[in-house]
Amino acid sequence: MTMTMNLITGKAGAPHITSSDQGAMQAGLVGNGNYLLQGGDGKFPAVTMQSANKALVPVLNLVIEGRYARVTAAETVTIESGVTGQNRNDLICVKYTRGSNNIETIALAVLKGTATSGTAADPTVPSGSILNNSSTVWIPIARIPISGIAAGTPVMLVKQLPPMSQLWDSVTQTLIKSQYGTVTGVKSGKIAQISINWKSASADSWGSGQFGTIPEGWRPAVVTHGTWSGRDGGSQRDFILETNGNFRYVNCGAGQNSGTFSGTMTYILA
């Protein structure tokens, strides 16, 4: 019986993990498309023009249909001169090649567009897919718009893929969970928004209570206040989030509603 199921990352006693195996897994994790990864400086690198005929491709990291590829040192790519009165779009691409012995290689290459006196269009990208085992695949990463003899600012075409740390920040996380309720949050950069959903509260005049402690990484730069007003118009609470993460509420005024309540707060992170 032919075995069609393989334990890719298990010990087999012989080399058995292929680039196709690894590529399929990475494509399944990040997507089947082509993506630019963040650089070590936290920014997404971009192609620039070094001169009228030289485009500079910086150090960058790509995931192309599941294959991880790097430009490890800045590399120049030659762009053919334009013609006065004509417009043209060229595409800087990663050209992937799979040889007859299944050896895979990549290189930077240019697809030259067609000159026109009108609006230039991108050249046709030859069809092909690494995931479908094509022998040649062209992956555009930047467009070079050429007007007359002048090359314009390159336009990056490959999608930016944020690091998982940023994606994690954008997912709602539970910060406090107790028998009385939950506090959840999302954050982007230095801004956080938290939501309080509580089951009961002190009904005492100027009474108070504790939500709990907000974890590090979610604490405010300064003491932050939020307010809650009850549906009856006679209840009001002050939410107080301290810089050490202590999160509490204080009733404002006379007797308060002791039932469920909720609210949100937005603040700058420490």
Side-chain angles (χ1 to χ4, degrees), residues 21-209:
D21 292 330
Q22 189 68 22
M25 184 190 76
Q26 291 174 168
L29 290 172
V30 307
N32 292 343
N34 305 302
Y35 307 98
L36 176 65
L37 304 183
Q38 179 180 284
D41 60 358
K43 300 177 181 179
F44 290 96
V47 175
T48 57
M49 292 305 299
Q50 194 176 47
S51 67
N53 297 97
K54 298 290 184 181
L56 183 67
V57 180
V59 172
L60 51 77
N61 299 285
L62 299 163
V63 177
I64 51 175
E65 294 189 42
R67 299 296 199 271
Y68 174 49
R70 299 185 71 194
V71 176
T72 57
E75 184 175 342
T76 57
V77 178
T78 300
I79 304 298
E80 189 173 314
S81 297
V83 178
T84 300
Q86 299 285 297
N87 302 311
R88 192 180 85 230
N89 285 348
D90 289 358
L91 298 179
I92 296 179
C93 303
V94 173
K95 184 180 180 182
Y96 165 95
T97 303
R98 183 199 302 271
S100 58
N101 55 358
N102 283 327
I103 298 298
E104 300 165 282
T105 59
I106 58 171
L108 293 171
V110 177
L111 280 176
K112 181 184 175 183
T114 301
T116 176
S117 58
T119 302
D122 291 347
T124 300
V125 179
S127 61
S129 167
I130 298 174
L131 293 170
N132 291 335
N133 298 317
S134 299
S135 59
T136 304
V137 181
W138 292 78
I139 299 105
I141 60 171
R143 174 190 300 116
I144 310 297
I146 303 166
S147 179
I149 61 173
T153 301
V155 178
M156 295 299 290
L157 301 176
V158 65
K159 295 178 181 178
Q160 296 179 349
L161 183 65
M164 292 184 69
S165 60
Q166 290 186 21
L167 298 177
W168 176 247
D169 285 349
S170 68
V171 176
T172 300
Q173 299 179 49
T174 300
L175 308 178
I176 295 173
K177 184 176 183 179
S178 79
Q179 60 181 319
Y180 302 109
T182 60
V183 177
T184 59
V186 294
K187 60 180 176 179
S188 177
K190 297 292 289 184
I191 303 297
Q193 183 179 71
I194 57 175
S195 298
I196 305 98
N197 289 284
W198 224 245
K199 297 177 182 179
S200 63
S202 168
D204 297 339
S205 174
W206 300 103
S208 63

Side-chain angles (χ1 to χ4, degrees), residues 201-208 236-238 249-254 256:
S202 168
D204 297 339
S205 174
W206 300 103
S208 63
Q236 185 171 335
R237 294 191 177 100
D238 184 17
Y249 70 86
V250 176
N251 291 338
C252 299
Q256 303 285 311

